[in-house]
C-alpha cells in the first residue's frame, strides 16, 4: 500500500503556508483522488500516526515539525449539476483554488460569490472558517458538502444546516480532525445584478443601485489589493485575530470612555473591529526583527523571512495584553495551529 500511496518523508512545507514559516512534515501525501484519502487514513491509523489536512495553508500557524501524516488536498473538478434560466448548482472539488473559482463564476455571469474574491486558499477549506468578507459568507450559497467522516470511516453528505456555521466558525472547527471535506455544492444565480450592503465597497462602485457581479468582483479586488499584503510578497495569514463580540453593557462602558470606537451590532451583541483596537494601542507598522504588524491593516501580522512561529506568537501575546489592558477585551487568534496540538 505504501508504494501506491507515494508518501514523501521529511517534506518541507515552507512554500505551502502563506506565513512562510519553515516546517517539516514527517510524512506527506498529495491527495488527488478520494480513494487515496481512504487508503491513507487507514494506513496512518495502522501505524498509530495522527493525520492532518492541509489545503492552501493561508489560515494556519505551522509548527516546525509535523508528526504523523500530512494530507495535502489537491482534488480537482468543477461541474454544473443542474440549472435553469435563473439559477444553477455548482459542484466544486476541495483542491480547486478559491479565487480562481470566483473569477470563473464571474466570467460566466453567475452571481453569488463575487464579494469573496481574492481570499487565498482552496475551496475545501472555505466551509471550515465559513469564509466571509464584505458582509457575505460561504454559508449564504453553500447547499451541502461531501466529506470523509474519519469517525464512521465513510463518505457523508452534510446539508448546510448540519455544518453549524457561525461567524468565521463551523462544525469543522468544533470537531477538528473528524471530517475531510472533498467537495462542496454552491447555489449560484444567473443574475445581472449583485447586492452590495457594505459601505466601504459601495464607495468604490458607481452611484447606480444595480451592479453586475463583475463590477463587484473588480471593486473587491481593487480595495483588497490596496490594503492587504500579498502573501507571495510578504508572509501573512490574513486577519490574525477574530473581531471580538461583546455584550451591549460591556460596549456601553467602553464607548463612554472611547466615543470613536468602531463597532457593529451583531445578533444581540456588539462586534468590535479588532484592527481598530490594535491600531489604537499603537501597534500598526510595528516591527520586531522578522515579524511585525502590517502598516495598512493592524489586524494582519506579517513575517518577513527568517523568523520563527514563536517570535510571531510572542508579538501576538504582547498585542493581546495591551488590548486587554486598555479596553478589557480578549482577542482570540483566528488561524488554526497546524497540527492543533504539539
Ligand atoms: P488551510 O490554511 O490549508 O487550512 C485551514 C484549516 O482548515 C486547517 O485547520 C485545515 O486542517 C483545515 N482544512 C483545510 N482543508 C480542509 C478540508 N478539505 N477538509 C477539512 N479540513 C480542512 N478568510 C476569510 O474568511 N475572509 C477573508 O477575507 C480572508 N482574507 C484573507 C486574506 C489573506 C491575505 C490571507 C493570507 C488569508 C485570508 N483569509 C480570509 C484566511 C484564509 O484565506 C481562509 O480561511 C481560507 O479559506 C483558508 O483556506 P486554505 O486552503 O488556505 O486552508
Ligand atoms: P474594513 O472594511 O476596514 O473593516 C474593518 C472591520 O469592520 C472588518 O473586520 C469588518 O468586519 C467590520 N465592518 C466594516 N464595515 C462593516 C459593516 N458595514 N457591517 C459589519 N461589519 C463591518 O476591513 P478590511 O480589513 O478591509 O477587510 C475587508 C473584508 O475582508 C472584511 O469583511 C474582512 O472580514 C475580510 N477579510 C478577512 C480576512 C481574514 O483573514 N479573515 C483578511 C482580510 C480581509 P467583518 O470582518 O466581520 O466583515
Amino acid at each position: 500500500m505504501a508504494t501506491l500511496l507515494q508518501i514523501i518523508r521529511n517534506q518541507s512545507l515552507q512554500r505551502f503556508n502563506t506565513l512562510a514559516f519553515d516546517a517539516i512534515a514527517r510524512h506527506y501525501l498529495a491527495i488527488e483522488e478520494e480513494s487515496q484519502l481512504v487508503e491513507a487514513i487507514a494506513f496512518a491509523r495502522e501505524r498509530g500516526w495522527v493525520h492532518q489536512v492541509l489545503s492552501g495553508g493561508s489560515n494556519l500557524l505551522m509548527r516546525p515539525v509535523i508528526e504523523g501524516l500530512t494530507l495535502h488536498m489537491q482534488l480537482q473538478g468543477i461541474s454544473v449539476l443542474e440549472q435553469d434560466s435563473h439559477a444553477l448548482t455548482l459542484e466544486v472539488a476541495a483542491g480547486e483554488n478559491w479565487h480562481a473559482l470566483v473569477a470563473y463564476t464571474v466570467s460566466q455571469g453567475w452571481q453569488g460569490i463575487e464579494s469573496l474574491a481574492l481570499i487565498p486558499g482552496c475551496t475545501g477549506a472555505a466551509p471550515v472558517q465559513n469564509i466571509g468578507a464584505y458582509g457575505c459568507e460561504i454559508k449564504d450559497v453553500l447547499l451541502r458538502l461531501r466529506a470523509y467522516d474519519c469517525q464512521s470511516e465513510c463518505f457523508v453528505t452534510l446539508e448546510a444546516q448540519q455544518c453549524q456555521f457561525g461567524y468565521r466558525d463551523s462544525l469543522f472547527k468544533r470537531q477538528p480532525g473528524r471530517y475531510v471535506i472533498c467537495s462542496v455544492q454552491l447555489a449560484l444565480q444567473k443574475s445581472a445584478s449583485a447586492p452590495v450592503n457594505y459601505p466601504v465597497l459601495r464607495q468604490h462602485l458607481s452611484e447606480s443601485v444595480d451592479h453586475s457581479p463583475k463590477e463587484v468582483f473588480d471593486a473587491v479586488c481593487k480595495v483588497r489589493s490596496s490594503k492587504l499584503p500579498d502573501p507571495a510578497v510578504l508572509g501573512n495569514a490574513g486577519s490574525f485575530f477574530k473581531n471580538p463580540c461583546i455584550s451591549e453593557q460591556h460596549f456601553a462602558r467602553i464607548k463612554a470612555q472611547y466615543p470613536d470606537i468602531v463597532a457593529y451590532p451583531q445578533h444581540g451583541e456588539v462586534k468590535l473591529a479588532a484592527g481598530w483596537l490594535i491600531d489604537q494601542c499603537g501597534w500598526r507598522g510595528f516591527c520586531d526583527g522578522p515579524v511585525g504588524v502590517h502598516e495598512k491593516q493592524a489586524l494582519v501580522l506579517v513575517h518577513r523571512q527568517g523568523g520563527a512561529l514563536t517570535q510571531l506568537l510572542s508579538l501576538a501575546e504582547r498585542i493581546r495584553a495591551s488590548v486587554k489592558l486598555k479596553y478589557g477585551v480578549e482577542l482570540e487568534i483566528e488561524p488554526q495551529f497546524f497540527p492543533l496540538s504539539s
Side-chain angles (χ1 to χ4, degrees), residues 18 53-60 73 119-122 124-126 128-129 131-133 168 179-181 224 229 231 236-238 336:
T18 59
V53 179
L54 173 66
S55 286
S58 64
N59 209 22
L60 291 178
M73 299 301 285
I119 299 181
C122 303
V128 176
Q129 146 106 345
I131 53 167
R168 310 288 188 267
Y179 297 103
V180 184
I181 299 167
R224 291 183 70 110
N236 76 93
Q336 296 194 277

Side-chain angles (χ1 to χ4, degrees), residues 135-342:
C136 298
E137 296 176 326
I138 192 175
K139 79 164 172 51
D140 303 334
V141 294
L142 189 126
L143 291 171
R144 59 190 66 84
L145 56 80
R146 177 175 159 82
Y148 184 71
D149 179 353
C150 301
Q151 197 166 300
S152 61
E153 297 182 23
C154 61
F155 285 96
V156 293
T157 297
L158 297 176
E159 298 295 324
Q161 62 272 24
Q162 294 176 280
C163 296
Q164 299 175 19
F165 289 123
Y167 179 60
R168 310 288 188 267
D169 196 18
S170 72
L171 168 70
F172 313 104
K173 278 195 178 176
R174 289 181 203 144
Q175 296 194 21
R178 175 164 177 185
Y179 297 103
V180 184
I181 299 167
C182 294
S183 62
V184 303
Q185 287 183 24
L186 306 177
L188 303 179
Q189 307 301 312
K190 294 181 178 174
S191 165
S193 90
V196 177
N197 303 315
Y198 203 88
V200 176
L201 203 52
R202 233 182 276 131
Q203 286 167 17
H204 290 262
L205 287 157
S206 64
E207 301 237 317
S208 115
V209 184
D210 285 333
H211 302 286
S212 69
K214 173 81 167 87
E215 284 171 316
V216 175
F217 173 87
D218 287 343
V220 168
C221 291
K222 196 170 158 202
V223 181
R224 291 183 70 110
S225 309
S226 70
K227 66 186 289 195
L228 292 168
D230 176 354
V233 178
L234 181 59
N236 76 93
S239 304
F240 200 84
F241 299 101
K242 286 185 190 172
N243 287 327
C245 291
I246 61 171
S247 70
E248 287 173 354
Q249 293 84 339
H250 187 177
F251 176 65
R253 287 198 300 277
I254 302 178
K255 174 96 177 158
Q257 210 180 339
Y258 303 101
D260 295 340
I261 190 163
V262 179
Y264 303 89
Q266 176 108 349
H267 315 301
E269 293 191 303
V270 181
K271 179 182 78 179
L272 305 180
W276 187 88
L277 299 173
I278 297 167
D279 195 358
Q280 295 299 305
C281 289
W283 289 104
R284 187 150 57 88
F286 178 84
C287 220
D288 184 7
V291 298
V293 180
H294 191 52
E295 64 274 9
K296 291 186 184 157
Q297 169 50 290
L299 195 48
V300 178
L301 302 196
V302 299
H303 169 224
R304 293 190 174 77
Q305 286 184 353
L309 177 61
T310 47
Q311 289 171 290
L312 193 71
L313 292 178
S314 151
L315 171 61
E317 200 39 55
R318 281 185 280 158
I319 292 172
R320 266 166 54 94
S322 69
V323 168
K324 172 80 177 159
L325 188 68
K326 186 164 181 180
Y327 297 100
V329 172
E330 297 276 1
L331 292 183
E332 192 189 329
I333 292 179
E334 184 173 285
Q336 296 194 277
F337 283 90
F338 192 85
L340 274 179
S341 52
S342 52

